Amino acid sequence: MSQSNNPRFWASQWYTTKFATEPWPGGWYWHDEHYNWFGPYESEHAAGDALTEHETSERDALDASDHVPSQFELYYHPLSPYSQKVLIAAYEKGAHFTPKIVNLMSTDEREKYRKLYPMGKLPLIVLNHGPLIPESSTIIEYLDSLDGRRLISKDPDVARKTRFKDRFFDFYLTDSANVLFAEGAKPPSRQDTVKIEAAQYRIRAVYDFIEYELREQTWANGEEFSMADCAAAAGFFYAARIMPYDDHPNVAAYAHRLSDRPSVKRVREEAAPYMQAYLDRIKQSRETA
Ligand SMILES: N[C@@H](CCC(=O)N[C@@H](CS)C(=O)NCC(=O)O)C(=O)O
């Protein structure tokens, strides 16, 4: 049950470990599914017994209810496009997860989150038996191994195209829209015009590319909604506000289909109050500047 090498990072849940001195008095500790630590215990055995007792009581409580057990914890923020991409996939798959919203703008929350995942990037999932899975596409690969409709085809040729388009939307639509959004929030004198022009060029190139691709297909990779569409929907959340596509009728129709998709609708409805609060904050800071 014990782990010796950086256990917090690699196995973050339901285990005991020994802290020699830091951050708490030496001894054995265990933590629960909410990262509450308990200890110190004199021995690994004593900590293990306390953990087993906790697990048993949790299981009994679950058995006594009709609660569907959570398959993992999802660390995310409703306004983070990569989080939205994973949320869309999770809703498509009908996954049961425990949501953990992290506000990376808060120094305290950011520091706490970096203890769990040092890269500090959202989204991240933590499986019930411990392992962390970071990176939106890797998370969706994992989700696709669970029950539910497939987001990455079993056909290797189709799967390769889905993976290409997923990366294509991430790198050239989402990342470019992020640049434009971040630069747009700065006062004009501090905006980086080289970065802005490069991002605008890339988004236009994405629109041109998919305008052609979408001339006779419903979704990014054909007739089946896939991981590529999760990535596209997340990218359009910001890109649509910054770089309209009215002169690309197939892109406009595709963006409309995405907005109508129940999983995408749900994610955007959940993000709406956070977006409003963000826009209000920007407006207020401009008024007081
Ligand atoms: N390649 C990563 C990108 C994740 C990413 O950039 N996440 C943003 C939020 S959308 C983030 O955590 N930013 C905080 C930071 O860069 O410190 C993925 O696909 O998950």
Side-chain angles (χ1 to χ4, degrees):
M1 196 182 293
S2 66
Q3 316 260 340
S4 52
N5 294 328
N6 194 3
R8 279 205 215 198
F9 184 37
W10 293 116
S12 56
Q13 199 168 327
W14 300 102
Y15 70 99
T16 62
T17 191
K18 185 173 191 171
F19 291 102
T21 48
E22 292 292 337
W24 299 298
W28 285 90
Y29 290 77
W30 61 276
H31 76 77
D32 67 10
E33 68 280 23
H34 305 297
Y35 299 96
N36 298 310
W37 285 88
F38 299 88
Y41 292 84
E42 292 273 310
S43 64
E44 179 178 17
H45 190 73
D49 282 351
L51 172 56
T52 306
E53 202 177 306
H54 173 76
E55 282 176 314
T56 310
S57 64
E58 286 283 300
R59 216 175 17 248
D60 289 351
L62 272 180
D63 288 349
S65 72
D66 54 7
H67 173 79
V68 181
S70 168
Q71 294 163 300
F72 52 86
E73 290 177 334
L74 171 62
Y75 289 79
Y76 74 105
H77 192 278
L79 288 182
S80 134
Y82 289 106
S83 300
Q84 291 192 0
K85 175 178 149 187
V86 162
L87 277 170
I88 292 166
Y91 293 152
E92 288 285 335
K93 296 291 292 184
H96 296 282
F97 60 89
T98 306
K100 301 268 184 185
I101 293 184
V102 182
N103 175 11
L104 292 175
M105 308 286 262
S106 143
T107 313
D108 284 355
E109 279 190 52
R110 192 168 59 240
E111 286 312 307
K112 195 167 158 216
Y113 181 62
R114 281 184 183 168
K115 291 201 172 98
L116 174 65
Y117 180 45
M119 293 304 123
K121 293 273 188 185
L122 296 170
L124 168 80
I125 67 172
V126 181
L127 304 187
N128 293 339
H129 60 294
L132 310 189
I133 306 182
E135 290 293 321
S136 57
S137 306
T138 316
I139 295 171
I140 296 177
E141 297 268 357
Y142 171 75
L143 293 179
D144 224 22
S145 70
L146 306 175
D147 289 344
R149 56 176 307 284
R150 290 199 65 90
L151 295 170
I152 304 165
S153 172
K154 282 194 170 142
D155 176 331
D157 199 41
V158 179
R160 176 177 49 75
K161 288 179 187 156
T162 295
R163 291 190 176 99
F164 157 64
K165 284 181 180 154
D166 166 69
R167 297 176 78 83
F168 179 79
F169 287 123
D170 279 6
F171 294 152
Y172 309 123
L173 184 66
T174 303
D175 287 354
S176 306
N178 275 349
V179 167
L180 295 184
F181 206 73
E183 291 298 316
K186 294 180 188 167
S189 60
R190 290 188 43 222
Q191 291 177 358
D192 183 333
T193 49
V194 175
K195 263 190 178 174
I196 291 175
E197 277 165 24
Q200 286 171 335
Y201 168 81
R202 288 217 172 98
I203 296 179
R204 263 195 304 273
V206 170
Y207 290 171
D208 290 345
F209 177 85
I210 60 169
E211 178 67 13
Y212 182 76
E213 288 274 293
L214 287 164
R215 70 198 183 286
E216 47 193 25
Q217 63 192 44
T218 309
W219 301 112
N221 204 27
E223 293 315 300
E224 299 295 328
F225 186 93
S226 72
M227 170 166 73
D229 300 296
C230 302
F236 276 121
F237 181 73
Y238 286 100
R241 292 162 201 269
I242 295 164
M243 293 271 290
Y245 31 69
D246 307 339
D247 53 345
H248 290 75
N250 294 335
V251 177
Y254 172 58
H256 194 74
R257 281 195 292 282
L258 285 172
S259 308
D260 270 352
R261 186 95 184 168
S263 58
V264 176
K265 220 178 218 170
R266 179 171 172 188
V267 167
R268 291 186 180 169
E269 278 166 11
E270 288 168 1
Y274 291 87
M275 181 52 105
Q276 195 52 55
Y278 174 78
L279 295 175
D280 289 347
R281 265 202 317 278
I282 299 261
K283 191 166 165 236
Q284 214 169 29
S285 70
R286 282 199 180 136
E287 280 165 3
T288 52

